[in-house]
Coordinates of all heavy atoms in Angstrom, one line a residue:
M1416 N -113.8 -23.6 -61.1 CA -113.8 -23.1 -59.8 C -114.8 -23.9 -58.9 O -115.8 -24.3 -59.3 CB -114.2 -21.5 -59.8 CG -114.0 -20.9 -58.4 SD -114.5 -19.2 -58.6 CE -114.9 -18.8 -56.9
K1417 N -114.4 -24.1 -57.7 CA -115.1 -24.9 -56.8 C -116.5 -24.2 -56.5 O -116.5 -23.0 -56.5 CB -114.4 -25.0 -55.4 CG -114.9 -26.1 -54.5 CD -114.0 -26.3 -53.3 CE -114.8 -27.1 -52.3 NZ -114.2 -27.1 -51.0
K1418 N -117.5 -24.9 -56.2 CA -118.9 -24.3 -56.0 C -119.0 -24.0 -54.5 O -118.7 -24.9 -53.7 CB -120.0 -25.3 -56.5 CG -120.2 -25.2 -58.0 CD -121.4 -26.1 -58.2 CE -122.6 -25.2 -58.8 NZ -123.8 -26.0 -59.1
F1419 N -119.5 -22.8 -54.2 CA -119.6 -22.4 -52.9 C -121.1 -21.9 -52.6 O -121.3 -21.1 -51.8 CB -118.6 -21.3 -52.5 CG -117.2 -21.7 -52.5 CD1 -116.3 -21.2 -53.5 CD2 -116.7 -22.5 -51.6 CE1 -115.0 -21.6 -53.5 CE2 -115.4 -22.9 -51.5 CZ -114.5 -22.5 -52.5
S1420 N -122.0 -22.5 -53.3 CA -123.4 -22.0 -53.2 C -124.0 -22.2 -51.8 O -124.9 -21.5 -51.5 CB -124.3 -22.6 -54.3 OG -124.2 -24.0 -54.2
D1421 N -123.5 -23.1 -51.0 CA -124.0 -23.4 -49.7 C -123.0 -22.7 -48.7 O -123.2 -23.0 -47.4 CB -124.1 -24.9 -49.4 CG -122.8 -25.6 -49.5 OD1 -121.9 -25.0 -50.1 OD2 -122.7 -26.7 -49.0
H1422 N -122.2 -21.8 -49.1 CA -121.3 -21.2 -48.2 C -121.6 -19.7 -48.0 O -122.2 -19.2 -49.0 CB -119.8 -21.2 -48.7 CG -119.2 -22.5 -48.6 ND1 -119.7 -23.7 -49.1 CD2 -118.0 -22.9 -47.9 CE1 -118.9 -24.8 -48.9 NE2 -117.9 -24.3 -48.1
I1423 N -121.3 -19.2 -46.9 CA -121.4 -17.7 -46.7 C -120.1 -17.1 -47.3 O -119.1 -17.6 -46.9 CB -121.6 -17.3 -45.3 CG1 -123.0 -17.7 -44.8 CG2 -121.4 -15.8 -45.0 CD1 -123.2 -17.5 -43.3
A1424 N -120.3 -16.2 -48.2 CA -119.0 -15.5 -48.8 C -118.6 -14.3 -48.0 O -119.5 -13.5 -47.6 CB -119.4 -15.1 -50.2
I1425 N -117.3 -14.3 -47.6 CA -116.8 -13.2 -46.9 C -115.8 -12.5 -47.9 O -114.9 -13.2 -48.3 CB -116.1 -13.6 -45.6 CG1 -117.2 -14.2 -44.6 CG2 -115.4 -12.5 -44.9 CD1 -116.6 -14.8 -43.4
I1426 N -115.9 -11.3 -48.1 CA -115.0 -10.6 -49.0 C -114.0 -9.8 -48.1 O -114.3 -8.8 -47.4 CB -115.8 -9.5 -49.9 CG1 -117.0 -10.2 -50.5 CG2 -114.8 -8.9 -50.9 CD1 -116.7 -11.4 -51.4
G1427 N -112.8 -10.2 -48.3 CA -111.7 -9.6 -47.6 C -111.2 -10.4 -46.4 O -112.0 -10.7 -45.5
A1428 N -109.9 -10.6 -46.4 CA -109.3 -11.4 -45.3 C -108.5 -10.5 -44.3 O -107.4 -10.7 -43.8 CB -108.3 -12.5 -45.8
G1429 N -109.1 -9.3 -44.0 CA -108.7 -8.5 -42.9 C -109.1 -9.0 -41.6 O -109.7 -10.2 -41.5
I1430 N -108.9 -8.3 -40.6 CA -109.2 -8.8 -39.2 C -110.7 -9.0 -39.1 O -111.2 -10.0 -38.5 CB -108.8 -7.8 -38.1 CG1 -108.8 -8.5 -36.7 CG2 -109.5 -6.5 -38.1 CD1 -107.7 -9.6 -36.5
A1431 N -111.6 -8.2 -39.7 CA -113.0 -8.3 -39.7 C -113.4 -9.6 -40.4 O -114.2 -10.4 -39.8 CB -113.7 -7.1 -40.3
G1432 N -112.9 -9.8 -41.6 CA -113.3 -11.0 -42.4 C -112.9 -12.3 -41.7 O -113.6 -13.3 -41.6
L1433 N -111.6 -12.3 -41.2 CA -111.1 -13.5 -40.5 C -111.8 -13.8 -39.2 O -112.1 -15.0 -38.9 CB -109.6 -13.3 -40.4 CG -108.7 -13.3 -41.7 CD1 -107.3 -13.1 -41.3 CD2 -109.0 -14.5 -42.6
A1434 N -112.1 -12.7 -38.5 CA -112.8 -12.9 -37.3 C -114.3 -13.5 -37.6 O -114.7 -14.5 -36.9 CB -113.0 -11.6 -36.4
A1435 N -114.9 -12.9 -38.6 CA -116.3 -13.5 -38.9 C -116.1 -15.0 -39.3 O -117.0 -15.8 -39.0 CB -116.9 -12.6 -40.1
A1436 N -115.1 -15.3 -40.2 CA -114.9 -16.7 -40.6 C -114.7 -17.5 -39.4 O -115.2 -18.7 -39.4 CB -113.7 -16.8 -41.6
N1437 N -113.9 -17.1 -38.5 CA -113.6 -17.9 -37.3 C -115.0 -18.3 -36.5 O -115.2 -19.3 -36.1 CB -112.7 -17.2 -36.3 CG -111.3 -17.7 -36.6 OD1 -110.9 -18.8 -36.1 ND2 -110.6 -16.8 -37.2
F1438 N -115.8 -17.1 -36.3 CA -117.0 -17.3 -35.6 C -117.9 -18.3 -36.4 O -118.6 -19.2 -35.8 CB -117.7 -16.0 -35.4 CG -117.3 -15.2 -34.2 CD1 -116.7 -14.0 -34.4 CD2 -117.4 -15.7 -32.9 CE1 -116.2 -13.3 -33.3 CE2 -116.9 -15.0 -31.9 CZ -116.3 -13.8 -32.0
L1439 N -118.0 -18.2 -37.7 CA -118.8 -19.2 -38.5 C -118.3 -20.6 -38.4 O -119.1 -21.5 -38.3 CB -118.9 -18.7 -40.0 CG -119.7 -17.4 -40.2 CD1 -119.5 -16.9 -41.6 CD2 -121.1 -17.6 -39.9
Q1440 N -117.0 -20.7 -38.4 CA -116.4 -22.0 -38.4 C -116.7 -22.7 -36.9 O -117.0 -23.9 -37.0 CB -114.9 -22.0 -38.5 CG -114.2 -23.3 -38.7 CD -112.7 -23.1 -39.0 OE1 -112.1 -22.2 -38.4 NE2 -112.2 -23.9 -39.9
I1441 N -116.7 -21.9 -35.9 CA -117.0 -22.4 -34.6 C -118.4 -22.9 -34.5 O -118.7 -24.0 -33.9 CB -116.8 -21.3 -33.5 CG1 -115.3 -21.1 -33.3 CG2 -117.4 -21.7 -32.1 CD1 -114.9 -19.9 -32.4
K1442 N -119.3 -22.3 -35.3 CA -120.7 -22.7 -35.3 C -121.0 -23.7 -36.5 O -122.1 -24.0 -36.8 CB -121.6 -21.4 -35.5 CG -121.5 -20.4 -34.5 CD -122.3 -20.9 -33.3 CE -122.3 -19.7 -32.2 NZ -122.8 -20.3 -30.9
N1443 N -119.9 -24.2 -37.0 CA -120.0 -25.2 -38.1 C -120.9 -24.6 -39.3 O -121.6 -25.4 -39.9 CB -120.6 -26.5 -37.7 CG -119.5 -27.2 -36.8 OD1 -118.4 -27.2 -37.2 ND2 -120.0 -27.8 -35.8
I1444 N -120.8 -23.4 -39.6 CA -121.5 -22.7 -40.7 C -120.5 -22.6 -41.8 O -119.5 -21.9 -41.7 CB -122.1 -21.4 -40.3 CG1 -123.1 -21.7 -39.2 CG2 -122.7 -20.7 -41.5 CD1 -123.6 -20.3 -38.6
P1445 N -120.7 -23.3 -43.0 CA -119.7 -23.2 -44.1 C -119.5 -21.8 -44.6 O -120.5 -21.0 -44.9 CB -120.2 -24.1 -45.1 CG -121.6 -24.4 -44.8 CD -121.8 -24.0 -43.4
C1446 N -118.3 -21.4 -44.8 CA -118.0 -20.0 -45.3 C -116.8 -20.1 -46.2 O -116.0 -21.0 -46.0 CB -117.8 -19.0 -44.2 SG -116.4 -19.2 -43.2
V1447 N -116.6 -19.1 -47.0 CA -115.3 -19.0 -47.8 C -114.9 -17.6 -47.8 O -115.8 -16.7 -47.9 CB -115.6 -19.6 -49.3 CG1 -116.7 -18.9 -50.0 CG2 -114.3 -19.5 -50.1
V1448 N -113.6 -17.4 -47.7 CA -113.1 -16.0 -47.7 C -112.5 -15.7 -49.0 O -111.6 -16.4 -49.4 CB -112.1 -15.8 -46.5 CG1 -111.6 -14.4 -46.5 CG2 -112.7 -16.2 -45.1
F1449 N -112.8 -14.6 -49.6 CA -112.2 -14.2 -50.8 C -111.3 -13.0 -50.5 O -111.8 -12.0 -49.9 CB -113.2 -13.8 -51.9 CG -114.1 -14.9 -52.4 CD1 -115.3 -15.2 -51.8 CD2 -113.6 -15.8 -53.3 CE1 -116.1 -16.2 -52.2 CE2 -114.3 -16.8 -53.8 CZ -115.6 -17.1 -53.2
E1450 N -110.0 -13.1 -50.9 CA -109.1 -12.0 -50.7 C -108.5 -11.6 -52.0 O -108.0 -12.5 -52.7 CB -108.0 -12.4 -49.6 CG -106.9 -11.5 -49.5 CD -107.2 -10.0 -49.1 OE1 -108.0 -9.9 -48.2 OE2 -106.8 -9.1 -49.9
R1451 N -108.4 -10.3 -52.3 CA -108.0 -9.9 -53.6 C -106.4 -9.9 -53.7 O -105.8 -10.0 -54.6 CB -108.5 -8.5 -54.0 CG -107.9 -7.4 -53.2 CD -108.5 -6.1 -53.8 NE -108.3 -5.0 -52.8 CZ -108.9 -3.8 -52.9 NH1 -109.7 -3.6 -53.8 NH2 -108.6 -2.9 -52.0
S1452 N -105.8 -9.6 -52.5 CA -104.3 -9.5 -52.4 C -103.7 -10.9 -52.6 O -104.2 -11.9 -52.0 CB -103.9 -9.0 -51.1 OG -102.5 -8.9 -51.0
K1453 N -102.7 -11.0 -53.4 CA -102.0 -12.3 -53.6 C -101.0 -12.6 -52.5 O -100.4 -13.7 -52.4 CB -101.3 -12.4 -54.9 CG -102.3 -12.3 -56.1 CD -101.5 -12.5 -57.4 CE -102.5 -12.6 -58.6 NZ -102.3 -11.6 -59.5
Y1454 N -100.7 -11.6 -51.6 CA -99.5 -11.8 -50.7 C -100.0 -11.4 -49.3 O -100.8 -10.5 -49.1 CB -98.4 -10.9 -51.1 CG -97.9 -11.2 -52.5 CD1 -98.3 -10.3 -53.5 CD2 -97.2 -12.4 -52.8 CE1 -97.9 -10.5 -54.8 CE2 -96.8 -12.6 -54.2 CZ -97.2 -11.7 -55.2 OH -96.8 -11.9 -56.5
L1455 N -99.4 -12.0 -48.3 CA -99.5 -11.7 -46.9 C -98.3 -10.8 -46.7 O -97.1 -11.1 -47.1 CB -99.4 -12.9 -46.0 CG -100.6 -13.7 -45.7 CD1 -100.4 -14.9 -44.8 CD2 -101.8 -12.8 -45.1
G1456 N -98.5 -9.7 -46.1 CA -97.3 -8.8 -45.8 C -97.2 -8.3 -44.4 O -98.2 -8.3 -43.7
E1457 N -96.0 -8.1 -44.0 CA -95.8 -7.5 -42.7 C -95.5 -6.0 -42.8 O -94.8 -5.7 -43.6 CB -94.7 -8.2 -41.9 CG -95.0 -9.7 -41.6 CD -93.8 -10.4 -41.0 OE1 -93.0 -9.7 -40.5 OE2 -93.8 -11.6 -40.9
H1458 N -96.2 -5.2 -41.9 CA -96.1 -3.8 -42.0 C -95.0 -3.3 -41.0 O -94.6 -2.2 -41.1 CB -97.4 -3.1 -41.8 CG -98.3 -3.4 -42.9 ND1 -98.1 -2.8 -44.1 CD2 -99.4 -4.2 -43.0 CE1 -99.1 -3.2 -44.9 NE2 -99.8 -4.2 -44.3
G1459 N -94.6 -4.1 -40.0 CA -93.7 -3.7 -39.0 C -94.2 -2.6 -38.1 O -93.4 -1.9 -37.5
A1460 N -95.5 -2.5 -37.9 CA -96.1 -1.6 -37.0 C -96.4 -2.2 -35.7 O -96.6 -3.4 -35.7 CB -97.4 -1.0 -37.7
G1461 N -96.4 -1.4 -34.7 CA -97.0 -1.9 -33.3 C -98.4 -2.1 -33.4 O -99.1 -1.5 -34.3
I1462 N -98.9 -3.0 -32.7 CA -100.3 -3.3 -32.6 C -101.0 -3.0 -31.3 O -100.4 -3.6 -30.3 CB -100.7 -4.7 -33.1 CG1 -100.2 -4.9 -34.5 CG2 -102.2 -5.0 -32.9 CD1 -100.4 -6.4 -35.0
S1463 N -101.9 -2.2 -31.2 CA -102.6 -2.1 -29.8 C -104.1 -2.6 -30.1 O -104.7 -2.4 -31.1 CB -102.7 -0.6 -29.4 OG -103.3 0.2 -30.4
I1464 N -104.5 -3.3 -29.1 CA -105.8 -3.9 -29.2 C -106.8 -3.4 -28.2 O -106.4 -3.4 -26.9 CB -105.7 -5.5 -29.1 CG1 -104.7 -6.1 -30.1 CG2 -107.1 -6.2 -29.2 CD1 -104.5 -7.5 -30.0
S1465 N -107.8 -2.9 -28.6 CA -108.8 -2.2 -27.8 C -109.5 -3.3 -26.9 O -109.6 -4.5 -27.3 CB -109.8 -1.3 -28.5 OG -110.6 -2.4 -29.3
P1466 N -110.2 -2.9 -25.8 CA -110.9 -3.8 -25.0 C -112.0 -4.6 -25.8 O -112.1 -5.8 -25.6 CB -111.7 -3.0 -24.0 CG -110.7 -1.8 -23.8 CD -110.1 -1.6 -25.2
N1467 N -112.6 -4.0 -26.8 CA -113.6 -4.7 -27.7 C -112.9 -5.7 -28.5 O -113.3 -6.9 -28.6 CB -114.3 -3.8 -28.7 CG -115.3 -3.0 -28.0 OD1 -115.8 -3.3 -26.9 ND2 -115.9 -2.0 -28.8
G1468 N -111.7 -5.4 -29.0 CA -110.9 -6.5 -29.7 C -110.5 -7.6 -28.9 O -110.5 -8.8 -29.3
I1469 N -110.1 -7.3 -27.6 CA -109.7 -8.4 -26.6 C -110.9 -9.3 -26.4 O -110.8 -10.5 -26.4 CB -109.2 -7.8 -25.3 CG1 -108.0 -7.0 -25.5 CG2 -109.1 -8.9 -24.2 CD1 -106.7 -7.8 -25.8
N1470 N -112.1 -8.7 -26.3 CA -113.3 -9.5 -26.1 C -113.6 -10.5 -27.2 O -113.9 -11.6 -27.1 CB -114.6 -8.6 -25.9 CG -114.6 -7.9 -24.6 OD1 -113.9 -8.3 -23.7 ND2 -115.4 -6.9 -24.5
V1471 N -113.4 -10.0 -28.5 CA -113.6 -10.9 -29.7 C -112.6 -12.0 -29.7 O -112.9 -13.2 -29.9 CB -113.4 -10.0 -31.0 CG1 -113.4 -10.9 -32.2 CG2 -114.6 -9.0 -31.0
L1472 N -111.2 -11.7 -29.4 CA -110.2 -12.7 -29.3 C -110.4 -13.7 -28.2 O -110.3 -14.9 -28.5 CB -108.8 -12.1 -29.1 CG -108.3 -11.2 -30.3 CD1 -107.1 -10.5 -30.0 CD2 -108.0 -12.1 -31.5
N1473 N -111.0 -13.3 -27.1 CA -111.4 -14.2 -26.0 C -112.5 -15.1 -26.5 O -112.5 -16.3 -26.3 CB -111.9 -13.3 -24.9 CG -110.9 -13.3 -23.8 OD1 -110.1 -14.3 -23.6 ND2 -110.9 -12.2 -22.9
E1474 N -113.5 -14.5 -27.2 CA -114.6 -15.3 -27.6 C -114.2 -16.4 -28.7 O -114.7 -17.5 -28.7 CB -115.7 -14.5 -28.4 CG -116.5 -13.7 -27.4 CD -117.4 -14.5 -26.5 OE1 -118.0 -15.4 -27.1 OE2 -117.6 -14.2 -25.3
L1475 N -113.1 -16.1 -29.5 CA -112.6 -17.0 -30.4 C -111.7 -18.0 -29.8 O -111.2 -18.9 -30.5 CB -112.0 -16.3 -31.5 CG -112.9 -15.4 -32.5 CD1 -112.1 -14.6 -33.4 CD2 -113.7 -16.5 -33.3
G1476 N -111.3 -17.8 -28.5 CA -110.3 -18.7 -27.9 C -108.9 -18.5 -28.3 O -108.1 -19.4 -28.3
L1477 N -108.6 -17.2 -28.8 CA -107.3 -17.0 -29.4 C -106.3 -16.2 -28.5 O -105.2 -15.9 -28.8 CB -107.4 -16.3 -30.7 CG -108.2 -17.1 -31.8 CD1 -108.4 -16.3 -33.0 CD2 -107.3 -18.3 -32.2
I1478 N -106.9 -15.7 -27.4 CA -106.1 -14.7 -26.6 C -104.8 -15.3 -26.1 O -103.8 -14.7 -26.1 CB -107.0 -14.1 -25.5 CG1 -106.4 -12.8 -25.0 CG2 -107.2 -15.0 -24.3 CD1 -106.5 -11.7 -26.0
E1479 N -104.8 -16.5 -25.5 CA -103.6 -17.2 -25.0 C -102.6 -17.4 -26.1 O -101.4 -17.1 -25.8 CB -103.9 -18.5 -24.3 CG -104.6 -18.3 -22.9 CD -103.7 -17.3 -22.0 OE1 -102.5 -17.4 -22.0 OE2 -104.4 -16.4 -21.5
E1480 N -103.0 -17.9 -27.3 CA -102.1 -18.0 -28.4 C -101.5 -16.7 -28.7 O -100.3 -16.6 -29.0 CB -102.9 -18.6 -29.6 CG -102.0 -19.3 -30.6 CD -102.9 -19.9 -31.7 OE1 -104.0 -20.3 -31.4 OE2 -102.3 -20.0 -32.8
L1481 N -102.2 -15.6 -28.7 CA -101.7 -14.3 -29.1 C -100.7 -13.9 -28.0 O -99.6 -13.3 -28.4 CB -102.8 -13.3 -29.2 CG -102.4 -11.9 -29.5 CD1 -101.8 -11.8 -31.0 CD2 -103.5 -10.9 -29.4
R1482 N -101.0 -14.1 -26.7 CA -100.1 -13.7 -25.7 C -98.8 -14.4 -25.9 O -97.6 -13.9 -25.6 CB -100.7 -14.1 -24.3 CG -101.7 -13.1 -23.8 CD -101.8 -13.1 -22.3 NE -102.7 -12.0 -21.9 CZ -103.9 -12.2 -21.5 NH1 -104.4 -13.5 -21.4 NH2 -104.7 -11.2 -21.2
L1483 N -98.8 -15.7 -26.3 CA -97.6 -16.5 -26.5 C -96.6 -15.9 -27.5 O -95.4 -15.9 -27.4 CB -97.8 -17.9 -26.7 CG -98.4 -18.7 -25.5 CD1 -98.8 -20.2 -26.0 CD2 -97.3 -18.8 -24.5
I1484 N -97.2 -15.3 -28.6 CA -96.4 -14.8 -29.7 C -96.1 -13.3 -29.6 O -95.4 -12.8 -30.5 CB -97.0 -15.2 -31.1 CG1 -98.4 -14.6 -31.3 CG2 -97.0 -16.7 -31.2 CD1 -98.9 -14.7 -32.7
S1485 N -96.8 -12.6 -28.7 CA -96.7 -11.2 -28.7 C -95.5 -10.8 -27.8 O -95.0 -11.5 -26.9 CB -98.0 -10.5 -28.3 OG -98.3 -10.9 -26.9
Ligands
FAD671 C1 -100.1 1.4 -40.2 C2 -101.4 1.0 -39.6 C3 -101.4 0.7 -38.2 C4 -102.6 0.3 -37.5 N1 -102.5 0.0 -36.2 C5 -103.5 -0.5 -35.5 C6 -103.4 -0.9 -34.2 O1 -102.4 -0.9 -33.6 N2 -104.6 -1.3 -33.6 C7 -105.8 -1.2 -34.2 O2 -106.8 -1.7 -33.6 N3 -105.9 -0.9 -35.5 C8 -104.8 -0.5 -36.2 N4 -105.0 0.0 -37.5 C9 -106.2 0.0 -38.1 C10 -106.6 -1.5 -38.5 O3 -105.6 -1.9 -39.4 C11 -107.9 -1.5 -39.2 O4 -108.9 -0.9 -38.4 C12 -108.3 -2.9 -39.6 O5 -107.3 -3.5 -40.4 C13 -109.6 -2.9 -40.3 O6 -109.9 -4.2 -40.6 P1 -110.9 -4.7 -41.7 O7 -110.9 -6.2 -41.7 O8 -112.2 -4.0 -41.6 O9 -110.2 -4.1 -43.1 P2 -108.8 -4.4 -43.8 O10 -107.7 -4.8 -42.7 O11 -108.6 -3.2 -44.6 O12 -109.1 -5.7 -44.5 C14 -109.9 -5.7 -45.8 C15 -109.4 -6.7 -46.7 O13 -110.3 -6.8 -47.8 C16 -109.5 -7.0 -49.0 N5 -110.4 -6.6 -50.0 C17 -110.9 -5.3 -50.2 N6 -111.7 -5.3 -51.3 C18 -111.8 -6.6 -51.8 C19 -112.5 -7.2 -52.8 N7 -113.2 -6.5 -53.8 N8 -112.3 -8.6 -53.0 C20 -111.5 -9.2 -52.2 N9 -110.8 -8.7 -51.2 C21 -111.0 -7.4 -50.9 C22 -108.3 -6.1 -48.8 O14 -107.2 -6.6 -49.6 C23 -108.0 -6.4 -47.3 O15 -107.1 -7.5 -47.1 C24 -103.8 0.3 -38.2 C25 -103.8 0.7 -39.6 C26 -102.7 1.0 -40.2 C27 -102.7 1.4 -41.7

């Protein structure tokens, strides 16, 4: 297994883990995300994003990309 001793470990690739990983990447801080699930799945649910969530997506520079696919 690759060594990640100089990386910040993030457990779980949910929205919280992936947002944290994005922020670290923007700051050039090495990190690695560990996800236990082997598959990405779609749930077919509607998604509503709270103002706090919009702020985070704005900070990550992802809001326009999201608008294009939503
Ligand atoms: C049907 C449904 C609809 C929803 N709709 C909305 C909505 O419209 N708007 C909204 O804001 N919220 C919605 N939510 C709530 C939203 O999904 C959660 O608030 C959000 O996903 C929480 O994100 P999280 O990253 O904290 O956790 P999660 O999304 O639960 O991610 C945690 C991840 O960690 C992984 N994990 C857990 N333990 C380990 C381990 N030991 N090792 C490795 N990986 C691990 C899990 O597999 C998972 O991928 C909805 C939830 C459901 C179920």
Side-chain angles (χ1 to χ4, degrees):
M1416 188 178 158
K1417 198 174 165 192
K1418 278 185 115 181
F1419 292 111
S1420 55
D1421 60 343
H1422 287 54
I1423 291 176
I1425 296 172
I1426 311 302
I1430 194 71
L1433 294 179
N1437 264 284
F1438 278 114
L1439 292 170
Q1440 192 176 40
I1441 287 168
K1442 298 283 181 193
N1443 288 319
I1444 298 170
C1446 67
V1447 57
V1448 180
F1449 294 97
E1450 170 55 52
R1451 73 177 166 191
S1452 176
K1453 292 188 174 118
Y1454 307 100
L1455 277 177
E1457 294 182 11
H1458 293 284
I1462 297 175
S1463 60
I1464 304 175
S1465 67
N1467 280 350
I1469 296 286
N1470 288 342
V1471 172
L1472 290 170
N1473 256 330
E1474 287 291 321
L1475 289 170
L1477 295 173
I1478 199 72
E1479 281 312 313
E1480 201 174 330
L1481 180 68
R1482 280 206 176 104
L1483 286 174
I1484 61 170
S1485 64

